[in-house]
Amino acid sequence: MIKINKISKSRIESVDFDNLVFGKTFTDHMFICHFKNGSWLDPEIKPYQPIKIEPSASVFHYGQAVFEGMKAYKDNDGKVWLFRPNENFKRINRSSHRLQIPEFPEEYFFEGLNQLIKLDKDWVKPGYENSLYIRPFVFASEYTAQATASSEYIFMIICTPVKSYYNGDNINVLVSEKYSRAANGGVGYVKAAGNYAAQFYPTSEAAKKGFQQIIWTDANQHEFLEEAGTMNIFFMINEVLVTSPTNDRILDGVTRKSIITLAKKRGIRVEERPIKITEVIDAHKNNKLTEVFGTGTAVVVLPINSFTFKKISYKLPKETNLANLLKEELLGIQYNSLNDEYNWTRKID
Ligand SMILES: *Cc1c(COP(=O)(O)O)cnc(C)c1O
């Protein structure tokens, strides 16, 4: 069903897998499929290479584009696994739907993904510090300056090997008092490319002040804590794990929902409810705020060292036992070294 055109010689020998810079090295192959005349046609895997496109392509002008982020993991027997890929599939189509992009067929998605990872499986290295970051994306490719939904699209999957470092460098975050990433009725709940473009400026302003991320607050009053950068955010307050409920403004993270499931199984009370900055500060003053962490595919679970609001910095305890525990358990399932009782993983074969 999918046409496969293999590279003649792999570039893998030239890659220094111990010193990878995130998202800078791509594997030998890519998946590509075109939407024309009302249907997705000719799915193909071919050598990773530039695509030719005219300057009038609609995506350059109106940003009609969405993406996904997922990973492949190699276990100690050399088998390669995906983690809940069906969630990413459903989500990219939710994103597409919101951006008026035609949904992508399920069989092309899974067949393309499986064949691509199988071809490039040597790029996935074993060990918890190694994985293959997979980037499916869709963009408007009609040549037109009309500000309407494109009639043509390109769907692609590219893959980049990544290394995560356990250097204990937890992050310091700034609670936003001015900027927002999402608003009611908007596109915050989907992975629309433009959401990320809009974060670069506030995030780099925060970086100048020494913060690695921004905690995005609600667009109305900057009162509720919603996400940390491109991660969902959790607060452990008085032995209860609290995170924002999913809605128009919150990205429904696969890591978020997996962490909620794993925490509940450990008997931890989890509450999905709006959470105010004042509540978090009060809990901090009363020593009831024991951990704050972000979750996402790229970082898994990332503890937060301190948060700053109205120029006051609140330091969190050094011990991040819950974050560590949940991270180890999730990694164990993802790398097939722990029993996957939820049937979350899917083998590449
Ligand atoms: C992708 C993303 C997340 C994390 O989602 P995962 O499925 O866990 O990787 C969280 N917040 C935002 C804004 C995101 O774009």
Side-chain angles (χ1 to χ4, degrees), residues 36 38 62 67-68 129 134 137 211 307 348:
K36 277 185 185 151
Y62 307 116
F67 68 93
E68 263 307 316
E129 67 282 12
I134 304 164
F137 60 107
F211 300 104
F307 62 93
I348 296 291

Side-chain angles (χ1 to χ4, degrees), residues 233-281:
I233 190 166
F234 289 80
F235 302 85
M236 190 65 167
I237 299 175
N238 211 4
E239 311 284 305
V240 180
L241 191 59
V242 187
T243 190
S244 268
T246 52
N247 55 34
D248 278 10
R249 307 181 307 273
I250 308 288
L251 200 289
D252 185 7
V254 181
T255 320
R256 175 187 178 279
K257 69 172 82 167
S258 306
I259 288 293
I260 290 173
T261 301
L262 295 178
K264 282 183 176 165
K265 202 193 90 198
R266 291 187 166 268
I268 295 165
R269 208 168 110 201
V270 181
E271 290 179 0
E272 296 178 61
R273 60 167 172 84
I275 180 158
K276 278 188 179 177
I277 179 67
T278 47
E279 176 185 354
V280 172
I281 290 173

